[in-house]
Amino acid sequence: MESVLEKLNRFKLRNTEIRREILTLFLETEYALSHQYIEKKLSTKFDRVTLYRTLKSFEENGLIHRIANDTDTIEYALCKDDCHEQNHKHNDNHAHFRCEKCLKTYCLEHVGIPDLHIPNGFKAQEFQLLVSGVCAKCNQV
Ligand SMILES: [Zn+2]
Ligand SMILES: [Zn+2]
Ligand SMILES: [Zn+2]
């Protein structure tokens, strides 16, 4: 797997401590991360503004995408590599799964969003598909 440094380098992002820490967290976690979660997990204390800016720059550069879940918390997940190739435009055309037991949100990378017919006069910008239920881990018990 690509290392944190290689990834920062490929996305032409300067290698800073907070970027390394946040990116490591994303690479090591299989579910989506919220601001609060990241803030709690960071070993060194960074202020909120720096954290906010770092997430924003990751999002703008195609490293992570934002997920709308059914709460008012914004969560982010790592993008697949093709987001960067397309001129920094996001191409995360997949569904997300929200587990009602562990409250984690997962990317369903292989579940695409169907072509939806939008009525005339409406201009769609983004499609989100959120599936809720019980995740594979919680379902095992
Ligand atoms: Zn993306
Ligand atoms: Zn679960
Ligand atoms: Zn996703």
Side-chain angles (χ1 to χ4, degrees):
M1 200 167 72
E2 192 177 27
S3 76
V4 167
L5 288 182
E6 284 165 349
K7 211 170 176 73
L8 284 176
N9 207 19
R10 188 161 58 85
F11 282 86
K12 299 188 176 61
L13 285 168
R14 211 156 44 85
N15 165 16
T16 63
E17 199 182 355
I18 187 164
R19 283 183 179 154
R20 282 201 308 274
E21 282 208 28
I22 294 180
L23 201 52
T24 305
L25 203 56
F26 273 108
L27 286 165
E28 286 172 348
T29 318
E30 53 178 352
Y31 44 84
L33 306 176
S34 65
H35 272 252
Q36 291 93 317
Y37 183 91
I38 297 168
E39 214 176 317
K40 253 193 281 171
K41 285 278 179 177
L42 288 183
S43 57
T44 325
K45 272 288 156 199
F46 297 102
D47 60 271
R48 269 158 188 248
V49 180
T50 315
L51 171 61
Y52 179 81
R53 281 201 196 124
T54 307
L55 288 174
K56 204 174 150 119
S57 89
F58 278 1
E59 192 190 1
E60 283 168 0
N61 283 283
L63 269 91
I64 58 174
H65 57 281
R66 192 185 275 254
I67 300 167
N69 59 32
D70 51 359
T71 71
D72 48 14
T73 312
I74 297 164
E75 293 180 309
Y76 296 93
L78 213 55
C79 293
K80 291 284 131 191
D81 293 338
D82 58 353
C83 277
H84 182 56
E85 311 299 331
Q86 306 205 341
N87 291 325
H88 295 201
K89 280 224 177 72
H90 282 277
N91 188 33
D92 307 289
N93 199 17
H94 56 258
H96 290 106
F97 192 97
R98 171 86 173 164
C99 176
E100 284 164 353
K101 278 200 175 160
C102 62
L103 303 179
K104 285 169 182 148
T105 311
Y106 294 86
C107 289
L108 300 180
E109 258 126 29
H110 302 294
V111 181
I113 298 177
D115 246 331
L116 300 170
H117 181 74
I118 307 301
N120 283 342
F122 291 87
K123 194 172 171 286
Q125 204 156 41
E126 199 190 353
F127 292 96
Q128 296 256 10
L129 180 60
L130 185 72
V131 184
S132 63
V134 182
C135 75
K137 252 185 210 146
C138 293
N139 205 19
Q140 263 168 17
V141 202

